[in-house]
Amino acid sequence: RAVASFIGSDGLGPVLQQRLHEADKQAAASWLEDIWLNKAYLEWREPNFINANWAALLADSADAPVAAAPRGQTSGAQLARAARMTALLLDASDAINAQALAADTQRGAALCMNQFKWQFGTTRIARAQRDELVHQWPATARHILVMYRDCAVKVPVYGGGGRRASLAQLAAQLDLAVRRVDERLAQEPAPAPVARLTAGNRDNWAQARELLAQDAANREALATADTALFGVCLDVDLDPRDAHDAERSLAEFTHGGGGANRWFDKAVQLVVLNSGRLGVNCEHTPADALTTGSMLMAALAQEAGPVKDRAPCADLAEPAPVRWTVSPAVARHIEHARAEARALAANLRILLGRMPAYGAQWIKALGVSPDAYFQVALQAAYFRHHGRPAPTYETASLRRFLHGRTETIRSCSEESLAFSRAFDDRGVAAGAKLRSFQRAVAAHVDYSRAAAAGQGVDRHLLGLRAQIRTPDEAARAALFQDPAYARSMSFALSTSNVTPGDKFRGGFAPVVADGYGVNYALDAHDLKFSVSEWRAAPDTDAAAFRETICQTLRDIRAAAEQAMPR
């Protein structure tokens, strides 16, 4: 009834659709581009450091195994790895500036490369009501922003004539940045941790930023952070006993122990622990995780071999700690952000799961899409665990379109629900279960292809909602007022496939209070995933759900192997 009212000749739907056509005529690339940036990200007022930013644990170095280091101290392995990865990201930035990257393809079709232009020199700026995204392409900044002991340091990486620093010079710059901060903290009281503001409510940060910008030196400091090519965070406040704990490492990459030692507004931040372990924390607004992830995995592949160095550059300026003048009002904003971030980080739990010898090769031998297999299994696991279906978000890439970002794959289908109900029903024959599974997989593949081809429903509905102009129109938009629509948008499972996962294990927070975030990768002989939850939610249990996922995968495999011809 709500749908019929909305799309009828007297309904608001046709009016909104016409407005969307008009918006498309005015758009430089797509009617969706600005709507998506504003509605999905920039208008969001809650802290984005966990709610929007994503993090990943990257592969350990083969040359320098992870090793515990004393708390509060940097290590040689940490600084060496930070320098090497900095050099590789500078290579990537130079290649993007020169448009020298080979175009990504999918099934032989070229994909839009625009998102790569937003990787470097890009920052989200806190503004009242709606943030601003600033960047420069080509990225011409000549410095990076190093975070160490909650202090920001401007570290030049280009010298005279625009020549790049050598690897040895980068290592020396990082070492000098650390020494400058240590010297300052030994001689002066610890400065106010202004960077903590980036982990708080966006309006709180916007107000503090306006106050900071009243001082000329602060404006220069803000410009240093905003224009930096990327961030490098050197974390040392770590328990040595956790050096080899992958889950603790991922938590550190996600929130820095409660919003510490990060400038969360930077598009890309390398995070290097004093154990030598490497991760990233990335602001989601300018680019999608798969795009940034592909750049990072290319860098990791190069890290595994000899890094081509260059001759030292001349006239390389020394690192300079960023100095702030903080008023009592700004100090109160910092304390508010610090408390908010600590509470939010304490509420989030991310656990890692792994199913060795359960990878894409075995799944493909069944003639099944690995992604569809996992998504259908996840639906069955949720139904088994909670006794109900889960509205589910899976990311589909729209990069086959100009400036395309993402569409929603709705993995919860009539077919997946039918299989979830049948799978644990002893009254259903094994053959019937297998056929139900095949129908669910086929339905998922069909939806995935449609979504990637721009035929999903969610971005279109978002576009229509964005055309509503008055409260009266909002009340007339019966479809968006319907309880079924609200339930369908409450994604109890928010999921993302980041295959391959041999060098990259991602994680993100659930998007609803009583939901899970599931990030997964299906390599040839290995299945890795993460499960997140909000600890305060009474009806979710990430540890128990992780085990239900694993057991469901085992049970589906056993059923499939039993049905396979011998």
Side-chain angles (χ1 to χ4, degrees):
R1 185 178 301 171
V3 173
S5 172
F6 182 73
I7 67 175
S9 58
D10 294 330
L12 191 62
V15 175
L16 300 180
Q17 180 70 10
Q18 182 58 40
R19 290 176 186 170
L20 195 56
H21 281 298
E22 294 301 318
D24 189 42
K25 293 176 183 178
Q26 302 298 320
S30 164
W31 59 266
L32 178 58
E33 188 170 17
D34 287 343
I35 291 174
W36 179 244
L37 285 177
N38 290 329
K39 299 302 180 182
Y41 297 110
L42 297 177
E43 293 178 10
W44 180 254
R45 300 291 83 199
E46 295 305 307
N48 63 291
F49 88 112
I50 278 180
N51 290 305
N53 285 35
W54 59 271
L57 166 67
L58 303 182
D60 293 335
S61 170
D63 298 330
V66 170
R71 188 170 206 144
Q73 297 181 20
T74 57
S75 69
Q78 178 185 28
L79 295 179
R81 192 161 198 207
R84 192 162 182 167
M85 285 301 296
T86 295
L88 291 168
L89 286 195
L90 291 174
D91 286 343
S93 179
D94 289 344
I96 292 168
N97 283 346
Q99 299 189 78
L101 294 182
D104 292 338
T105 61
Q106 186 177 56
R107 296 185 178 89
L111 302 179
C112 179
M113 299 293 284
N114 181 64
Q115 287 184 43
F116 287 96
K117 295 179 180 179
W118 293 78
Q119 302 290 339
F120 298 106
T122 301
T123 304
R124 177 168 166 167
I125 307 296
R127 303 291 189 207
Q129 297 185 338
R130 184 173 72 192
D131 289 356
E132 177 186 0
L133 192 63
V134 299
H135 90 125
Q136 186 180 45
W137 181 84
T140 57
R142 292 295 178 249
H143 69 281
I144 60 174
L145 188 74
V146 168
M147 294 296 305
Y148 169 64
R149 296 179 69 181
D150 247 354
C151 296
V153 186
K154 179 181 182 179
V155 178
V157 292
Y158 289 84
R163 291 187 59 194
R164 272 259 308 274
S166 68
L167 182 58
Q169 286 179 309
L170 291 174
Q173 289 287 83
L174 292 174
D175 181 68
L176 187 54
V178 166
R179 285 192 281 124
R180 289 288 182 265
V181 171
D182 285 340
E183 290 166 359
R184 180 182 175 188
L185 293 180
Q187 298 168 3
E188 307 172 11
V194 172
R196 298 286 187 115
L197 289 163
T198 66
N201 176 278
R202 302 306 294 178
D203 284 335
N204 178 71
W205 177 201
Q207 293 167 20
R209 187 179 174 104
E210 288 185 1
L211 293 172
L212 285 167
Q214 294 173 7
D215 178 89
N218 284 343
R219 290 197 296 273
E220 183 178 346
L222 288 167
T224 293
D226 296 342
T227 60
L229 289 170
F230 55 91
V232 176
C233 308
L234 303 173
D235 285 11
V236 296
D237 188 18
L238 305 165
D239 189 333
R241 294 170 295 182
D242 295 335
H244 296 276
D245 189 323
E247 287 181 351
R248 293 291 183 91
S249 296
L250 182 56
E252 182 70 16
F253 300 141
T254 301
H255 52 64
N261 207 48
R262 305 279 184 274
W263 196 273
F264 285 105
D265 293 343
K266 294 304 296 180
V268 176
Q269 294 184 100
L270 291 175
V271 184
V272 193
L273 311 186
N274 59 1
S275 65
R277 182 155 273 169
L278 173 70
V280 292
N281 187 286
C282 299
E283 209 285 311
H284 212 322
T285 307
D288 299 315
L290 284 174
T291 309
T292 307
S294 68
M295 179 183 73
L296 293 167
M297 285 188 280
L300 288 168
Q302 292 176 279
E303 185 196 27
V307 174
K308 292 176 62 177
D309 204 1
R310 59 190 63 227
C313 68
D315 303 320
L316 184 64
E318 288 191 357
V322 176
R323 291 185 174 272
W324 306 94
T325 299
V326 174
S327 67
V330 171
R332 288 191 292 272
H333 283 294
I334 292 172
E335 190 51 43
H336 177 85
R338 191 204 306 246
E340 189 175 33
R342 284 176 173 170
L344 196 57
N347 193 21
L348 178 67
R349 178 163 70 154
I350 304 179
L351 303 180
L352 297 176
R354 185 178 182 186
M355 297 287 287
Y358 200 132
Q361 184 170 302
W362 178 83
I363 296 172
K364 288 178 179 177
L366 301 176
V368 173
S369 156
D371 181 74
Y373 184 103
F374 182 81
Q375 284 287 338
V376 172
L378 188 61
Q379 290 295 308
Y382 188 93
F383 190 87
R384 176 181 276 186
H385 195 82
H386 288 283
R388 61 181 184 273
T392 304
Y393 177 103
E394 182 189 357
T395 305
S397 173
L398 291 179
R399 284 182 59 205
R400 69 172 69 178
F401 300 98
L402 183 64
H403 293 194
R405 292 291 298 266
T406 64
E407 176 58 281
T408 303
I409 302 171
R410 288 184 169 267
S411 306
C412 182
S413 64
E414 292 181 359
E415 293 83 358
S416 69
L417 179 57
F419 170 71
S420 299
R421 285 173 169 156
F423 188 57
D424 286 330
D425 188 338
R426 295 183 180 180
V428 178
K433 293 180 181 180
L434 178 60
R435 290 189 293 274
S436 180
F437 178 77
Q438 290 170 332
R439 286 191 293 270
V441 165
H444 187 83
V445 169
D446 287 346
Y447 202 119
S448 298
R449 288 174 177 167
Q455 299 299 312
V457 300
D458 284 82
R459 300 299 176 264
H460 186 194
L461 290 173
L462 174 65
L464 294 176
R465 290 187 70 180
Q467 307 311 310
I468 295 174
R469 296 173 179 172
T470 66
D472 179 64
E473 287 188 346
R476 285 180 57 205
L479 173 62
F480 302 128
Q481 305 300 325
D482 193 87
Y485 176 77
R487 286 192 62 189
S488 76
M489 296 298 292
S490 181
F491 293 113
L493 287 174
S494 179
T495 72
S496 182
N497 183 344
V498 293
T499 301
D502 57 331
K503 298 182 184 298
F504 185 102
R505 300 197 72 179
F508 51 84
V511 297
V512 296
D514 58 349
Y516 301 99
V518 180
N519 186 283
Y520 60 99
L522 292 141
D523 294 323
H525 302 289
D526 195 18
L527 190 165
K528 303 184 184 76
F529 64 94
S530 64
V531 180
S532 65
E533 67 165 352
W534 298 114
R535 296 177 189 269
D539 296 327
T540 58
D541 184 331
F545 185 49
R546 174 178 60 180
E547 178 51 38
T548 301
I549 293 171
C550 291
Q551 188 58 53
T552 303
L553 287 165
R554 295 186 197 104
D555 292 346
I556 292 176
R557 176 165 185 160
E561 289 179 336
Q562 186 177 5
M564 290 174 69
R566 301 184 181 278

